Each structure stands twice: as C-alpha cells, then as structure tokens.
Amino acid sequence: MPTIQDVAKHAGVSVATVSRVLNNPSSVAELTRKKVELSIQELDYSPNILGRNLRNAKSRMLLVLLPKISNQFYLKIVEGIEEKALEYGYNILLCQTHSKLEREKVYFDLLKNQLAAGAITMDPTIDRKTLINIAKRYPFVQCSEYVNAKNLPYVTIDSELAAYQVTKYLLKQGHQRIGLINVSEYFLYARDRKKGYLRALEEFHIEPEEGWFYSANDVSLESGQQVMRSLLNKKQDLTAVFAVSDMLAIGALKELNTRGIDVPNEMAVVGFDKIEFTSITYPSLTTVAQPMYKMGEISVDMLIKKIQGEKVEDIVLEHELIIREST
Amino acid sequence: MPTIQDVAKHAGVSVATVSRVLNNPSSVAELTRKKVELSIQELDYSPNILGRNLRNAKSRMLLVLLPKISNQFYLKIVEGIEEKALEYGYNILLCQTHSKLEREKVYFDLLKNQLAAGAITMDPTIDRKTLINIAKRYPFVQCSEYVNAKNLPYVTIDSELAAYQVTKYLLKQGHQRIGLINVSEYFLYARDRKKGYLRALEEFHIEPEEGWFYSANDVSLESGQQVMRSLLNKKQDLTAVFAVSDMLAIGALKELNTRGIDVPNEMAVVGFDKIEFTSITYPSLTTVAQPMYKMGEISVDMLIKKIQGEKVEDIVLEHELIIREST
DNA sequence: CTGAAAGCGCTAACAG
DNA sequence: CTGTTAGCGCTTTCAG
C-alpha cells in the first residue's frame, strides 16, 4: 500500500497538501489539486483508516451486537439498521456475541478504540454497572432486549402487554390449559412475557400448574422441537402453547407434525416476533408481530443523535397480534 | 480512555515496560510486572487496537464477506467459520455486501488498512483483475461462490454434478417437463447448476422449452414465490421444478400451497443447500445437502495458512442428495 | 495557498 | 531487566 508520503513525493507537494485534497479539497489551488488527484489515481492510493482514526479519534462504522444471526428475529432489524446507517453515511459491522461476555468484550474494545463510532446492542450480557460506564463514554443504544437505566436508551415493544393479549386471546378461544415455552428468565423479555401470560390466566381465574412451564436452552428450531417433545411426554393435557419466540414455536410445530397431532384442533400454537418463515409453516403460525425493521431504523436514529451529543428518549413501539391457522 | 502513558506514569515505569507486560510478560521482573498489572486494573486500561495495529501492521480479526445474512445458506458456514477462527484466536466481523461493489470496497479497505488479518468472501463482486491484485497482497480465501484464478483459493462443491444428479433423479421418477428456477447467470453457481440440469435433460433426450427457465431477482422466499406465480400463470404443464436455492424452493412451495396445488403429485419441487428450514416445510423439501459447516471451517484453515505465508490448494467437497416428501 | 512539524497510542530496537 | 527513542500513517495548527 502506498502511503500519503508516497503520494506527496509523487506529486511534488507536502503531505499536508495531500491530506487537504482528501479532506477539504476546496482549500487547495485547482492546479495543485489536479496534480495530487492524478498521483492518487496513478498510485492507487487509499488512506489508511487506522492512521486517520487514530488521529481523528472517530470512525464511520457502527457496531451491531447480536447474540446469533441464526435467530431470524434479528434479520429484519439488521436490515433496518443497515439501510438507515447508510443514509447517514455509516457502515455497519455485525458481531455475534453468543450472549457470552468474553466475546462481547472484544467488540466493546473496538468501540473504546474508536474503531467504531457507536454501538447498537440487542442483548447486553455485560454487567449493569460496566454497561452504564461504557455508555457514559461511548455512544450506545439498546434494541429490543435492554437494561433499564439512566443514560442507556432503548427501543423495544411492550412484551408484557403483548403476552397478556395473546394469552387472553387463547383463553377467549376456550383454552383452559395453556403451556408456556419460555427461555431462561435471565432475559428481560422472558420475564416480561411470562408476567403477561400469568396476568391473563389470573384474570380468567386459572391457576397454572407446574407442568405448564418449559424453558428452552436457546432460541432455535431444535430447542423448540425438543421442548415440545418433553412437553408431550409429560401428558399435561394442554390444548395450547405460547412460545415466546417464533423459532421455538416453529420447532414445536415440527414435533407436532411429526407425531401427527392436529394443529390447531388437538393443540393450538402461538409464537412471537413474526419472522418471515411463520407464513410458510404448516399450518401458518399465529404470532405477535414486532416492528423489527422500524426498530432497526430507530436505533440508528437514536445512535446518531447520541454520537452528535444530543439527548435521546427511550421508545416503546406498537406490536400487533397476527391470527393465522395455528389457533 | 487511559493510554499506555497513563499506566506508565501511574506505575512509575516507562511505557516500554508497560508494553512488555502486555506482550511479553516473562521479560519483566516479577515485582515490576505486579506493579504494572495493578495500575492497569486500577485505571481499567485496555490497549488501543488502532495504535497497536498501526505499529504492528497486523490484527486478530478476520473479515467475512457475504451478500446477505437473510439467505439461510450462509448461516451454517458462518458458524463453522466462527468456531474455527476462535480456535486460532481470531475474531470475525460479518460484512454484508449485498453483492454491491461500493459496499464491498469499504470492507476491502479494512483489509488494506490492516484492520483485519485476512478475508473470506462468499461472493466476490469486484472485477477479476482487481481481485487477483488484492489477493496478491492480502490473505484472501473464497468460499462457495468463487472466481477461478491462480492464487485465489476456494472451497466449494461440484454444483454442476449436483444439479445433474438431482435432475436425473427427477427424470428417473418419470418427470418429463422440469422447470428451472435459477438466479442471475452472473453467478458461477447459477451457470453451473444450469449446465448440470441441461446435461441430464440431454441424456434423456429431452429438449427443454423456453418457458421452462425462470430467473429470480434475488435469493429470498419472496422471489421464490413470485417466480412460482409467474411460472404457474404461464401454464407450461410442468410436473416438477428444480430451484437452485432452498430459499427459492421454499418460496415456491408457499405459492403452491396457497393455490392448493398438491406437492409432489401435481408438482414436485427440489431445492439446493439443505438449510434448516427445509425440514419443517410442508411437505418437507427434497434438496442437495452442502457441507456448509465444514466449508466454513475449511475456509478458515485455508486463510490461516495464507496468513502464515503457506501455499493452499483449492478444495471441492462432497454433496449429498436428500430425498424427502416434496418429490 | 502551501509546508514544517507535532502528536494520536503503540511497539521494538538500542543502550545501559 | 528497564528506559529512551524512532516511527507506523494521518491530520492540523502555525508560519510563511
């Protein structure tokens, strides 16, 4: 790689002039500029981002931290983020944390080192205190899953309410014994959705039994299938299940289909998120639509504001119950 | 962020010593080391990657360039890449190129600027000549889709053969009129799979008609559905279709289900890749399994070798025909 | 309008 | 074993 020095020498000017041509062309005489531009072309020079960022202490990259891209839920969010980021002239870097602290730390270091101008996280694993500290110094926004604290802005939906509504819908359909396929209650959305589910049951004076609760190891088709398997083996006479994620619901559906259990007549199933594949399952899946794309766009808006030093408010977006064939 | 200077001052040593503690601890006296480590802790210092890379001209990041994460095909590859990279002590950065040159260039710049030690690309858009030039200077490996040239190592499967086999399988099942749902023939795999399809037809003395060929705008469920729609509207009396990607096949399946067309009796469908969702479609999808995870692992092996200056050979992996209910 | 020079944070050669 | 110092590639005063 040629450096700015090489270009300067080749064009017979100083490095400062080359730098000016790069960053503020109008401050350089027409003739000099042409000369420099020609040299840049001939040498196929492109500025070294490290040197530049080191000096400027800023970059045009945004970090996007998510647990795993295998969860379709993040797809549309990332699309929204990318589109919006591009509008602002930023590029994004996708980072899988696997909800593991060590991995997350590597990416936070990128942020600390000015390799990225800011970060959007969809699943903060790091402890609350450290997170607050990081957010104090670096532009930082939470999307979907979040930690509630001052100065840690987030965009999300009302999970508790959505879960309440979807459970109530099942109850109104006449279901009396409704299972819950959840994930680790380490996650806020898991706790919230469980709360909503319980609130609906309570309203209908139904006391949930212990055998109604299931927890998946992770958010994947396979885990969904596995949970449904153990659920069926327990013979709890459930007539419906509410899975807190479409991935789990689709996995569950697969197990039901394999066993020849009729959905929705023998077992109704609802999911959460409205990922694309929910429309092609058999039967198509009733679910709660999250405004994923919009969430992505908004998190970028918020992040850019943060970068520019403005204040940003938390945002809670609307969800929507999508009723289809599985109920 | 505290710098190495701050740590040095705080510990009462020189920056060189701090640097040594960081990079070669055994070369520092026990006592001095402890002192420095304490200061590092107290100041919550972590080295600036930019400064380090700028100096070292190397990093521990690998770039992974793919068109879009929404194509499930890349999922398992990325998993394989990530697992293996971690073994070698590298982290990965996911970059979506959308098969667009401008975006790809941004990421190649990261490579040029030593922000990453090397790159794996799954879809080179850049022109052949430039690519060869880049590969001359920077560690670079192709996975799945590739450009055939010296010094541009790749790992892939034999697409032509796989397509030939799957088409032959359909022919043996008695299908006489088999449609092809392809993507732009700009892509090598599109050309290869078409070739294989044509070779099988020829072997059975079947002359394909013009109305048998369809091209999707991109690789997505929606495009698959759209193509199937126009295919059905054309009334070509096809009894089977071969889609060059599972995403397209699943989209096609959706359209068939919507119209109440019986699969496989009225229309057989085969896909390509064996992404996870092919097992939960209705009916489950016949497809060609690619060893995605392994491809990911191998590309990292190759890349690390490249980084270490060793020679690497191209690799063609085995595929497998997975027969399920859609045929 | 242009050049000289300092310095961003770090590592490595060189002295001691 | 430790400190001094040059320099990675770049931008930005400060002079001219």
Side-chain angles (χ1 to χ4, degrees), chain B residues 99 130 143 149 174 192-193 196 199 233 246 291 308 320:
Chain B
S99 302
T130 317
C143 182
D192 279 350
R193 289 175 199 177
R199 177 153 70 96
N233 291 342
D246 283 339
Q308 295 170 344
E320 190 188 352

Side-chain angles (χ1 to χ4, degrees), chain B residues 14-61:
Chain B
S14 74
V15 292
T17 303
V18 179
S19 177
R20 283 190 199 101
V21 171
L22 255 29
N23 300 292
N24 186 14
S26 63
S27 73
V28 179
E30 172 89 23
L31 211 77
T32 327
R33 198 176 63 229
K34 291 272 184 232
K35 239 182 1 186
V36 172
E37 281 167 350
L38 198 71
S39 297
I40 289 179
Q41 278 218 334
E42 284 188 22
L43 299 181
D44 186 26
Y45 165 77
S46 66
N48 181 310
I49 304 180
L50 275 80
R52 178 178 279 181
N53 290 2
L54 184 57
R55 180 61 221 231
N56 282 346
K58 67 182 163 194
S59 91
R60 298 295 281 184
M61 283 278 181

Side-chain angles (χ1 to χ4, degrees), chain A residues 1-2 43-44 46-55 61 63 66 68-72 74-75 78-79 82-83 86 91-98 103 106-107 109-110 112-115 137-138 220-222 247 250-251 254 257 275-277 279-282, chain B residues 1-2 43-44 46-55 61 63 66 68-72 74-75 78-79 82-83 86 91-98 103 106-107 109-110 112-115 137-138 220-222 247 250-251 254 257 275-277 279-282:
Chain A
M1 282 293 284
L43 298 181
D44 186 26
S46 65
N48 182 308
I49 304 180
L50 276 80
R52 176 176 281 181
N53 290 2
L54 184 56
R55 182 59 221 233
M61 283 275 180
L63 244 44
L66 41 75
K68 287 188 91 173
I69 56 170
S70 61
N71 184 350
Q72 294 274 307
Y74 300 109
L75 225 57
V78 170
E79 276 178 25
E82 197 166 40
E83 225 42 63
L86 222 67
N91 279 92
I92 67 163
L93 246 28
L94 256 34
C95 309
Q96 295 194 90
T97 65
H98 294 261
R103 301 226 186 165
V106 174
Y107 300 120
D109 276 347
L110 296 186
K112 288 189 193 165
N113 293 326
Q114 334 278 14
L115 255 172
R137 306 199 207 169
Y138 310 101
S220 66
L221 296 187
E222 214 179 330
M247 294 294 283
I250 294 174
K254 186 180 173 189
N257 283 333
I275 64 172
E276 209 184 354
F277 279 93
S279 70
I280 59 101
T281 54
Y282 177 78
Chain B
M1 280 294 286
L43 299 181
D44 186 26
S46 66
N48 181 310
I49 304 180
L50 275 80
R52 178 178 279 181
N53 290 2
L54 184 57
R55 180 61 221 231
M61 283 278 181
L63 243 45
L66 41 76
K68 286 188 92 172
I69 57 170
S70 61
N71 184 348
Q72 294 275 306
Y74 300 109
L75 225 58
V78 170
E79 277 178 24
E82 197 167 38
E83 224 42 61
L86 223 66
N91 279 92
I92 67 164
L93 247 27
L94 256 34
C95 310
Q96 294 194 90
T97 65
H98 293 262
R103 300 226 185 166
V106 174
Y107 300 121
D109 277 347
L110 296 186
K112 288 189 193 164
N113 293 326
Q114 335 278 13
L115 256 171
R137 305 199 208 169
Y138 310 99
S220 66
L221 296 186
E222 213 180 331
M247 293 295 283
I250 295 174
K254 184 180 174 189
N257 284 333
I275 63 173
E276 209 184 355
F277 280 92
S279 70
I280 59 102
T281 55
Y282 178 77

Side-chain angles (χ1 to χ4, degrees), chain B residues 99-284:
Chain B
S99 302
K100 286 207 188 109
L101 192 55
E102 323 93 74
R103 300 226 185 166
E104 198 177 51
K105 272 189 176 156
V106 174
Y107 300 121
F108 278 139
D109 277 347
L110 296 186
L111 194 61
K112 288 189 193 164
N113 293 326
Q114 335 278 13
L115 256 171
I120 296 171
T121 175
M122 312 208 197
D123 170 22
T125 354
I126 209 162
D127 63 295
R128 189 190 160 83
K129 229 168 85 187
T130 317
L131 193 63
I132 293 176
N133 257 321
I134 291 179
K136 236 179 241 158
R137 305 199 208 169
Y138 310 99
F140 195 82
V141 163
Q142 304 177 97
C143 182
S144 176
E145 178 76 0
Y146 65 102
V147 168
N148 201 341
K150 236 185 128 177
N151 253 321
L152 280 181
Y154 59 81
V155 51
T156 191
I157 61 155
D158 189 339
S159 271
E160 197 274 345
L161 180 63
Y164 165 76
Q165 290 168 338
V166 78
T167 310
K168 195 163 162 182
Y169 158 75
L170 286 173
L171 290 162
K172 278 192 178 165
Q173 294 262 306
H175 293 286
Q176 300 272 330
R177 304 175 65 81
I178 304 169
L180 177 71
I181 299 183
N182 208 344
V183 296
S184 161
E185 293 194 26
Y186 163 84
F187 296 102
L188 177 62
Y189 77 88
R191 299 195 295 277
D192 279 350
R193 289 175 199 177
K194 185 177 183 182
K195 255 189 234 162
Y197 157 87
L198 290 174
R199 177 153 70 96
L201 290 186
E202 204 182 332
E203 205 174 297
F204 277 68
H205 309 294
I206 291 178
E207 186 80 31
E209 295 170 21
E210 207 184 313
W212 297 11
F213 301 102
Y214 296 83
S215 182
N217 291 327
D218 59 4
V219 182
S220 66
L221 296 186
E222 213 180 331
S223 290
Q225 184 171 13
Q226 210 172 303
V227 166
M228 179 52 84
R229 199 173 298 142
S230 65
L231 184 154
L232 290 171
N233 291 342
K234 278 206 178 169
K235 304 220 177 294
Q236 292 286 330
D237 296 322
L238 300 173
T239 63
V241 289
F242 165 37
V244 299
S245 154
D246 283 339
M247 293 295 283
L248 296 172
I250 295 174
L253 226 41
K254 184 180 174 189
E255 183 63 18
L256 291 166
N257 284 333
T258 305
R259 298 205 184 194
I261 295 173
D262 183 81
V263 178
N265 296 322
E266 292 177 70
M267 180 77 85
V269 179
V270 306
F272 205 110
D273 293 342
K274 200 189 173 198
I275 63 173
E276 209 184 355
F277 280 92
T278 53
S279 70
I280 59 102
T281 55
Y282 178 77
S284 62

